[in-house]
Amino acid sequence: MKYHHEKIEAKWQKYWADNQTFAASNKSEKPKYYVLDMFPYPSGAGLHVGHPLGYIASDIVARYKRHKGFNVLHPQGYDSFGLPAEQYAIQTGQHPEKTTRENIARYREQLDKIGFSFDWSREVRTSNPDYYKHTQWIFIQLFNSWYNKKTDKAEDISTLIDLFSKEGNSPETSGLNAVCDDNIELFSASEWNAFSSEKQQQILLQYRLTYLAETEVNWCPALGTVLANDEIVNGVSERGGHPVIRKKMTQWSMRISAYAERLLQGLNDIDWSESIKESQRNWIGKSIGAEVQFTIHNSQFTISVFTTRPDTIFGVTFMTLAPEHELVSQITTPEQKAAVEAYVEATAKRSERERMADVKTISGVFTGAFAEHPFTKEPIPVWIGDYVLAGYGTGAVMAVPCGDERDYAFANFFKGHNGMPEIKNIFNQDISEAAYGEKGGFELVNSDFLNGLDYKNGTKKIIEELEKIGQGKGKTNYRLRDAVFSRQRYWGEPFPVYYVNGLPQMIDAKHLPIVLPEVEKYLPTEDGQPPLGNATTWAWDSVQCSVVSNQLIDNVNIFPLELNTMPGWAGSSWYWMRYMDAHNENEFASADAINYWENVDLYIGGSEHATGHLLYSRFWNKFLKDRGYAPTEEPFKKLINQGMILGMSAFVYRVLWKIEDKDGNNVENLKGLPNSFPPIFIGKGMYDKVSKDNSGFMFFMLDKVLNKYPNSNDIIELSNGGKLISYFQQLHVDLSVINDITNELDIDAFKKHPLYSDYKDAEFITENGKYIVGREVEKMSKSKYNVVNPDDICNDYGADTLRLYEMFLGPLEQAKPWNTAGITGVSGFLKKLWRLYFDDNSLIVTNDEPTAEMYKSLHKTIKKVTEDIENFSFNTSVSQFMICVNELSQLKCNHRKILEPLAIVVSPYAPHIAEELWSQLGHSGSISTVDFPICNEKYLVESEKEYPVSFNGKMRFTIKLPLDLTVPQIQEIVLADERTIKQLDGRTPNKIIIVPGKVINLVG
């Protein structure tokens, strides 16, 4: 019987689907294990071979855990809202739902082909109303919650309202300690009770965990939407490369900052890589210091500054505000207005990320205003500079050039300009060449009552003094800012919000979902409203509790609905919980289901989600726990980031040239030679030679040009002292037109390929009759034409080969290049495995008792694979499989007691062939839940040792001896051996060195 992967794989994929083999139960006596892949976005390009890497690893673990007796939840679904489908809709007019549905069908087909053990009965799609109904419900819960610092958790807004009505909001009278907006107006209980409903709602918005606020955002005019920082690359949108500017907009925001400390401390309790934890710590950015108030001369304004070095306050020589700071326009003097406005406008075109990364450029403008030093009362000039960000700290910096490199550079750059004083030195250290930024090794000088103190004592003393004069206090600050939660897009979750007199009202949960309406155009409206502004039926009837025509809006009973949609991270911030109870119509998941599964035991995905997705998910999980809907503080116990599979790009090298006459004039422009001369390509070998020495190639090209234009005076002139200067254009080549193993270009296929229609008349200079392309490892991408389709691998070699090969490429976390040439070895291994069980005609497995060597080979493999899966070291398991099969083949093993457990051990990696082998061995049902073999150490105990026997230090032969022999016994056997007698040739050795279990050496 031959191994036909295509028949076997189709058979078992159908069996798994028909029998719901991998459906998990929410009620089981087995221990639970929840393994999850990061939510994929179904792009139109489908999967390339890099995408399944993490899925294969998680599938191996899921299958292994089933063998080990666990009730395994291994679901899959789609993060199906997003900008790509919307952009496609804008370009084609096709509804994003149709595009998304078609893309998902393509993804599903590809995923099924690889044989994943997903529980497809729990599939979710974030763009389905039955899913985002619950996303809307969670948003309402956030709106109806506030963060109580005293209990350190979110609580229902009703408890805050009750406190206001009884005690007001003054911390002194009410004991209130809440996360809220800055500059909260204080009021008594009687004042609260006297406020109008609208006034009360406005106040509550300052405390809610999701709230409306005017926020600095990344606005992309071309896309008509706000972008998150991680959607911007080098100051332009990641999608399309469009310019992005900073502007203020009224947006929904989430108070993730309320959870900053819990997000930080929670990292200590989860099994994640240190690099990912460090990324999160840096994003959260905890800093301990003080908040200091500086009053502005001749005004009622005050600048609040957060600093981690309050001990350096006597070194302040100027202040810098972020260009977007709300006070800039109010304190700038008329003389400086034009310069300041021009600078603010220029800064708006740079993203925050770009400004943070640019540490070399120094720029700023003096506002003309002066602040007052809290102690010396000296005037401090106020500047603006783009190295200060409005959203970090207070958006203002007290500049101490003697103690901070950036302040030092800024002060020196503007030295001598109006508004830039001399640098003050407050350290007993030299600052003539650079700032002194250390927190130790100094005493403060020129610092009034801080003189003689160090950092620790100086900090303590200055905070005491600031609190005495009411101009500062000790404070812990976080870089983590509240998350903007609005997007000016169509293809996203609608907010369950309508507006009464401009104030947001939540739609009752029993009326959810609020379904995304149909629109004619997916672009913003002509007056700049989001795409939902194009909807004609998008108003809320508060009496009938339904969505009705906009024409019925009367602002009495029928009101406008929110026009923004939620961001892409809304649906992915809680999806793991929906998998627990995917078809529950009334709740996002039942309490029983959530309490059973609790959280994800193993989460696998790309490191690109190190901050955004993981922070937002942890935030929502902690919130839901606070409100009693989640049982655990953290959503993901263990996290593994798989490395990237890189593509092996192919290149051809086009020769380009310019011709100059002896006077340096460009001849090719005179005669238009590039337009009439066919493109010429040289191969990799010639390209490498020419790159080192171009002179010989020049004569070669000169001959070709002169032969082409023998009667051209300009070319004749070239031969009389002119120059032909060549250079090269490296072009990516689609892998379909090369032999991926020999790297030879199929020239005819290249010329006929639609991508290369401009080169159908090109000349290819070959070597030995072949054109060899260049190869280079790059990120796998459609734009580089280096994408390998997993369907092709599955068709040609089988899904089991693909699975094993991807694991074999290297450690899961590392990046590694794809090379199709290496896949034949893995394919050959599976055929060799098959031949242990079958000859050309039938099954050859016997019930004979195996030998000790056979048992040893099997149990070595059981032990190694068990350890590897437990340690997520999948690549070394594949090596062990190959070793084992080679050993068993040499031993001519066809013994059931070896081959049955071997099929189970192979099953997590190559499930299709394992199922078929199990079935052919006479078993009914799936192999997937058969107990995993346990290593019996007795088979691994070495009873013999193959000793190297050396004479005067040179090994001459080996001898296998029992390990329990004594030294005299070993010596007696070795000396009696014919090979020893021949080596000694009648001599008696002077010394015999024997180390039991290691070496035998005869000297002399």
Side-chain angles (χ1 to χ4, degrees):
M1 284 177 65
K2 288 189 176 180
Y3 170 53
H4 296 289
H5 67 79
E6 61 281 358
K7 292 180 181 177
I8 291 170
E9 291 175 0
K11 168 186 172 180
W12 287 103
Q13 286 166 14
K14 183 177 186 303
Y15 176 91
W16 296 331
D18 290 347
N19 291 277
Q20 293 282 291
T21 303
F22 308 116
S25 170
N26 282 3
K27 293 180 180 180
S28 175
E29 297 299 318
K30 298 178 180 180
K32 72 95 181 181
Y33 193 84
Y34 186 174
V35 56
L36 181 64
D37 301 294
M38 284 191 183
F39 225 9
Y41 173 78
S43 71
L47 297 172
H48 61 61
V49 292
H51 292 125
L53 179 68
Y55 301 162
I56 295 169
S58 67
D59 199 56
I60 289 170
V61 175
R63 289 177 177 274
Y64 170 75
K65 289 293 184 180
R66 289 191 194 95
H67 284 303
K68 298 295 283 186
F70 286 82
N71 179 30
V72 176
L73 175 56
H74 185 36
Q76 188 59 284
Y78 305 97
D79 192 8
S80 48
F81 272 131
L83 190 55
E86 181 156 347
Q87 286 302 110
Y88 189 74
I90 291 169
Q91 294 163 9
T92 65
Q94 182 169 285
H95 198 290
E97 190 279 330
K98 181 176 185 293
T99 309
T100 302
R101 181 167 25 88
E102 291 170 352
N103 291 350
I104 286 174
R106 172 78 179 120
Y107 258 59
R108 176 63 188 272
E109 179 186 8
Q110 289 187 288
L111 291 171
D112 283 346
K113 206 174 185 72
I114 303 172
F116 295 119
S117 64
F118 294 131
D119 180 356
W120 284 112
S121 70
R122 297 174 186 252
E123 177 195 310
V124 300
R125 304 180 185 188
T126 58
S127 57
N128 280 4
D130 63 358
Y131 181 87
Y132 67 71
K133 162 185 180 177
H134 304 289
T135 310
Q136 293 172 341
W137 178 85
I138 293 172
F139 176 84
I140 294 169
Q141 306 316 304
L142 283 154
F143 182 82
N144 288 329
S145 300
W146 65 291
Y147 200 90
N148 187 343
K149 288 186 179 180
K150 291 174 73 174
T151 59
D152 199 23
K153 68 175 188 177
E155 296 181 6
D156 192 280
I157 199 74
S158 63
T159 62
L160 184 66
I161 295 171
D162 186 55
L163 186 67
F164 287 168
S165 65
K166 293 176 180 176
E167 301 180 37
N169 72 339
S170 171
E172 287 75 20
T173 59
S174 67
L176 178 64
N177 190 2
V179 175
C180 55
D181 291 353
D182 295 329
N183 306 314
I184 290 288
E185 174 189 346
L186 297 182
F187 51 79
S188 65
S190 58
E191 288 173 320
W192 167 263
N193 293 323
F195 289 151
S196 67
S197 173
E198 288 187 5
K199 174 74 171 176
Q200 290 180 343
Q201 288 182 59
Q202 289 168 349
I203 292 170
L204 289 172
L205 272 176
Q206 298 178 300
Y207 290 86
R208 295 180 186 275
L209 281 182
T210 185
Y211 60 96
L212 279 173
E214 192 175 65
T215 313
E216 280 279 337
V217 295
N218 304 307
W219 174 251
C220 181
L223 297 177
T225 190
V226 168
L227 298 178
N229 286 333
D230 55 8
E231 294 174 309
I232 303 165
V233 178
N234 298 323
V236 297
S237 64
E238 185 178 36
R239 181 78 180 177
H242 303 294
V244 178
I245 61 172
R246 299 286 292 172
K247 67 180 287 188
K248 286 189 175 181
M249 294 181 69
T250 298
Q251 302 280 295
W252 282 102
S253 289
M254 295 267 179
R255 283 190 216 277
I256 188 174
S257 58
Y259 287 83
E261 188 63 25
R262 282 170 63 182
L263 288 167
L264 195 61
Q265 294 306 319
L267 295 171
N268 300 325
D269 303 323
I270 49 182
D271 183 7
W272 294 13
S273 71
E274 194 53 38
S275 61
I276 294 294
K277 288 184 179 183
E278 196 57 29
S279 295
Q280 296 234 325
R281 290 188 190 106
N282 291 338
W283 198 268
I284 295 166
K286 183 178 182 178
S287 302
I288 298 173
E291 192 167 80
V292 187
Q293 305 297 328
F294 291 83
T295 57
I296 300 295
H297 272 311
N298 303 318
S299 80
Q300 77 276 26
F301 300 119
T302 299
I303 296 176
S304 179
V305 170
F306 173 79
T307 175
T308 58
R309 293 296 305 274
D311 60 308
T312 65
I313 196 166
F314 287 100
V316 176
T317 57
F318 65 98
M319 300 187 73
T320 313
L321 303 183
E324 310 88 353
H325 196 290
E326 59 185 9
L327 287 183
V328 170
S329 61
Q330 300 178 70
I331 66 173
T332 298
T333 61
E335 296 80 8
Q336 294 298 109
K337 184 178 180 183
V340 167
E341 288 180 347
Y343 186 79
V344 170
E345 183 179 351
T347 303
K349 297 175 182 177
R350 303 183 75 202
S351 70
E352 284 193 1
R353 186 170 286 183
E354 186 180 359
R355 285 161 59 182
M356 290 167 68
D358 184 5
V359 295
K360 295 181 179 179
T361 305
I362 299 173
S363 67
V365 176
F366 178 43
T367 65
F370 289 85
E372 182 183 86
H373 194 284
F375 296 103
T376 68
K377 306 305 179 186
E378 291 176 320
I380 302 170
V382 181
W383 288 65
I384 61 171
D386 68 358
Y387 72 95
V388 183
L389 303 177
Y392 179 54
T394 62
V397 169
M398 62 174 217
V400 183
C402 67
D404 181 90
E405 283 296 339
R406 199 146 195 180
D407 294 344
Y408 188 87
F410 195 94
N412 279 312
F413 186 83
F414 290 107
K415 186 177 180 180
H417 284 67
N418 178 34
M420 185 52 67
E422 291 290 321
I423 295 175
K424 295 179 183 178
N425 188 9
I426 58 168
F427 305 114
N428 60 343
Q429 300 289 330
D430 178 30
I431 62 159
S432 58
E433 299 295 329
Y436 185 80
E438 302 297 323
K439 288 186 176 181
F442 70 88
E443 286 185 1
L444 289 165
V445 298
N446 303 318
S447 296
D448 202 328
F449 53 82
L450 299 181
N451 285 339
L453 298 180
D454 59 9
Y455 160 73
K456 184 177 180 180
N457 292 304
T459 298
K460 182 180 178 182
K461 178 69 174 174
I462 195 65
I463 291 174
E464 291 173 356
E465 296 300 320
L466 283 167
E467 289 176 349
K468 282 182 185 177
I469 63 174
Q471 286 195 248
K473 60 182 179 180
K475 187 177 181 182
T476 299
N477 200 39
Y478 299 90
R479 183 182 293 116
L480 182 66
R481 286 164 285 169
D482 287 347
V484 175
F485 198 68
S486 294
R487 295 291 185 270
Q488 292 65 47
R489 300 176 184 165
Y490 171 74
W491 192 234
E493 296 92 335
F495 284 91
V497 176
Y498 65 97
Y499 289 89
V500 177
N501 296 327
L503 289 170
Q505 313 294 319
M506 295 297 112
I507 292 170
D508 194 291
K510 64 186 177 184
H511 304 305
L512 301 179
I514 302 302
V515 179
L516 198 63
E518 295 290 333
V519 294
E520 284 190 19
K521 292 189 295 184
Y522 304 106
L523 287 166
T525 64
E526 292 180 3
D527 58 355
Q529 295 280 11
L532 287 186
N534 294 310
T536 56
T537 304
W538 197 238
W540 183 249
D541 186 327
S542 61
V543 177
Q544 300 297 322
C545 296
S546 61
V547 178
V548 297
S549 169
N550 297 3
Q551 295 179 348
L552 300 176
I553 293 174
D554 57 13
N555 290 309
V556 177
N557 294 317
I558 300 175
F559 305 93
L561 283 158
E562 172 67 69
L563 297 181
N564 290 310
T565 54
M566 299 185 197
W569 56 269
S572 63
S573 291
W574 70 278
Y575 75 105
W576 64 94
M577 292 185 178
R578 186 59 177 169
Y579 283 137
M580 297 175 183
D581 196 9
H583 304 294
N584 191 323
E585 296 181 6
N586 301 316
E587 307 165 280
F588 70 87
S590 69
D592 287 345
I594 294 174
N595 288 328
Y596 176 75
W597 292 109
E598 291 186 330
N599 56 8
V600 176
D601 295 283
L602 174 65
Y603 197 30
I604 296 182
S607 60
E608 65 272 16
H609 300 296
T611 48
H613 162 62
L614 292 174
L615 271 175
Y616 298 143
S617 298
R618 296 178 63 217
F619 159 42
W620 276 33
N621 197 91
K622 290 175 190 294
F623 165 73
L624 290 169
K625 180 178 184 294
D626 288 351
R627 296 305 311 275
Y629 301 113
T632 62
E633 183 81 1
E634 291 289 339
F636 315 120
K637 288 182 185 177
K638 181 173 182 63
L639 170 70
I640 296 177
N641 292 130
Q642 82 269 16
M644 189 180 292
I645 288 185
L646 305 172
M648 183 70 79
S649 297
F651 300 93
V652 292
Y653 305 92
R654 183 183 177 187
V655 183
L656 299 173
W657 65 87
K658 60 181 180 178
I659 302 172
E660 294 179 354
D661 63 20
K662 63 183 179 181
D663 298 321
N665 297 315
N666 195 330
V667 175
E668 66 176 320
N669 286 342
L670 298 174
K671 291 295 178 184
L673 296 183
N675 295 325
S676 57
F677 205 83
I680 294 176
F681 290 92
I682 61 172
K684 174 63 174 171
M686 185 178 288
Y687 174 75
D688 289 341
K689 292 174 189 174
V690 172
S691 298
K692 295 175 183 174
D693 180 10
N694 208 6
S695 56
F697 189 71
M698 289 301 91
F699 289 109
F700 171 80
M701 285 303 301
L702 180 57
D703 284 344
K704 291 188 75 65
V705 174
L706 290 173
N707 288 334
K708 178 79 174 176
Y709 302 100
N711 300 318
S712 169
N713 291 331
D714 296 305
I715 300 302
I716 293 168
E717 184 71 22
L718 172 67
S719 63
N720 293 325
K723 293 180 183 177
L724 184 145
I725 302 169
S726 73
Y727 53 103
F728 305 93
Q729 180 183 18
Q730 182 174 275
L731 299 174
H732 280 94
V733 180
D734 192 300
L735 298 184
S736 65
V737 298
I738 69 165
N739 184 313
D740 210 22
I741 297 175
T742 65
N743 296 327
E744 184 180 352
L745 178 73
D746 184 332
I747 295 173
D748 288 339
F750 176 88
K751 290 181 177 182
K752 293 174 183 176
H753 197 289
L755 284 171
Y756 311 114
S757 56
D758 291 345
Y759 307 118
K760 61 180 182 294
D761 298 322
E763 179 180 346
F764 287 82
I765 299 171
T766 61
E767 296 180 84
N768 300 319
K770 297 179 179 180
Y771 185 99
I772 304 300
V773 300
R775 303 303 297 263
E776 187 175 317
V777 174
E778 299 182 291
K779 180 180 178 180
M780 199 170 277
S781 166
K782 280 183 70 180
S783 65
K784 302 180 191 302
Y785 310 117
N786 63 358
V787 167
V788 177
N789 190 328
D791 296 8
D792 296 336
I793 303 299
C794 290
N795 291 336
D796 295 342
Y797 300 99
D800 286 340
T801 298
L802 174 68
R803 292 167 65 102
L804 285 164
Y805 184 59
E806 294 219 1
M807 293 298 97
F808 189 52
L809 285 172
L812 179 61
E813 291 94 335
Q814 291 182 10
K816 46 258 178 186
W818 177 271
N819 184 355
T820 304
I823 207 165
T824 55
V826 175
S827 177
F829 155 73
L830 285 173
K831 291 173 184 174
K832 198 167 187 179
L833 171 67
W834 184 263
R835 286 197 297 273
L836 288 175
Y837 297 77
F838 301 95
D839 61 14
D840 290 342
N841 300 310
S842 61
L843 187 74
I844 56 173
V845 176
T846 72
N847 293 318
D848 297 346
E849 182 62 23
T851 65
E853 289 88 349
M854 295 174 187
Y855 276 122
K856 180 180 177 182
S857 182
L858 171 67
H859 284 269
K860 268 195 312 183
T861 303
I862 294 170
K863 182 177 183 180
K864 177 64 176 164
V865 173
T866 301
E867 290 173 351
D868 283 349
I869 297 178
E870 297 283 1
N871 295 314
F872 311 102
S873 301
F874 308 107
N875 57 309
T876 50
S877 279
V878 182
S879 301
Q880 182 58 40
F881 289 143
M882 294 177 173
I883 292 168
C884 179
V885 168
N886 283 335
E887 289 175 349
L888 295 178
S889 298
Q890 290 169 7
L891 294 168
K892 301 190 185 311
C893 175
N894 55 6
H895 300 63
R896 182 177 293 273
K897 288 183 179 179
I898 301 298
L899 299 184
E900 276 196 350
L902 179 62
I904 302 169
V905 176
V906 168
S907 174
Y909 290 79
H912 305 89
I913 193 172
E915 291 274 22
E916 185 64 18
L917 293 173
W918 190 249
S919 174
Q920 292 288 340
L921 286 168
H923 300 287
S924 60
S926 171
I927 196 175
S928 61
T929 56
V930 176
D931 288 348
F932 202 79
I934 296 172
C935 172
N936 191 331
E937 294 286 345
K938 77 175 185 180
Y939 295 116
L940 306 182
V941 175
E942 298 285 351
S943 60
E944 291 183 317
K945 166 69 181 178
E946 190 166 20
Y947 286 89
V949 181
S950 301
F951 294 83
N952 295 319
K954 291 185 178 180
M955 199 274 285
R956 296 300 183 184
F957 63 87
T958 62
I959 186 169
K960 189 174 285 186
L961 298 171
L963 281 169
D964 58 357
L965 292 179
T966 64
V967 171
Q969 288 172 326
I970 295 172
Q971 180 174 314
E972 181 182 349
I973 293 169
V974 170
L975 289 175
D977 192 282
E978 289 182 3
R979 293 168 294 181
T980 303
I981 294 168
K982 185 177 179 181
Q983 283 290 331
L984 291 175
D985 194 23
R987 300 188 310 276
T988 301
N990 297 328
K991 190 176 184 182
I992 299 175
I993 303 169
I994 297 174
V995 180
K998 292 188 178 179
V999 296
I1000 301 170
N1001 188 20
L1002 288 77
V1003 181

